[in-house]
Amino acid sequence: MRIVIAGGHGQIAQRLERLLSAGGHEVAGVIRDPEQADALRAAGAEPVVLDLESATVEMTAAVLQGADVAVFAAGAGPGSGVERKDTVDRGAAVLFADAAERAGVRRYIVVSSMGADADHPGDEVFDAYLRAKGAADDDVRARSGLDWTILKPGMLTNDAGTGLVRLEASTGRGPVPRDDVAAVLAELAETPATAGLTLELVSGSVPVSVAVKAVAGE
């Protein structure tokens, strides 16, 4: 398959690129900074330079042309303010979804966050982040033109992945290594029967492939 990942230089995205390319897939990563291109090539992905905060739907759809799966893994990142939580974490996710529909890419996977909720209260930057992610999730879920899956990981760590997770509609809070998040995303990309599901992910005791098959009803 050809899989295009928004936020291609992110920590989870680079792990995912390595897994997908090792699995024989053709992978492209959308990045804003051309200086990140070498890191993507090292991960086995084709770098595509496009700023999703300023790009049009047409420009973004051109990048998605011919893709089988679109993965939204972009984020404004730590240190960004409230405004960029809205333009990236919400706005870019909606743009990428619009572009996927325009390009005829039905399979759309979103890396969201546990606690994401458009009505989340609070005045802190993290509260704005959870509202932005929640609003993006709501927008994607409302689209009949996409076979979407929304993944909400718990607290992300850089611990080595164990390959053992808990993946359910509701898991309760907990940590999860980025390695295991990437492994679940790779499995979701290959499991179209997970379309229409919003899933929470934390570390657990079930092997990744078994956990994904279980939620897919396979």
Side-chain angles (χ1 to χ4, degrees), residues 1 38 40 48 61 92-94 96 106 123 126 133 163 202 210 215:
M1 293 189 293
D38 285 346
L40 265 70
V48 178
V94 171
F96 209 58
R106 287 199 63 92
D123 301 320
F126 190 67
K133 294 297 281 183
V202 293
V210 176
V215 294

Side-chain angles (χ1 to χ4, degrees), residues 72-86:
F72 185 82
S80 58
V82 169
E83 186 176 318
R84 292 201 67 227
K85 301 304 182 195
D86 185 66

Side-chain angles (χ1 to χ4, degrees), residues 15 19-20 30 36 48 52 58 65 94 113 119 130 134 147-148 153 156 176-177 190 198 206:
R15 288 167 168 84
L19 288 174
L20 292 172
V30 179
Q36 297 169 342
V48 178
L52 293 174
E58 289 74 17
Q65 207 66 47
V94 171
S113 173
D119 297 319
L130 291 176
D147 296 328
W148 52 264
L156 299 170
V176 61
E190 296 180 343
T198 300
V206 181

Side-chain angles (χ1 to χ4, degrees), residues 171-191:
T171 60
R173 294 190 176 276
V176 61
R178 287 179 172 87
D179 285 352
D180 290 335
V181 178
V184 168
L185 289 166
E187 202 73 33
L188 289 172
E190 296 180 343
T191 312

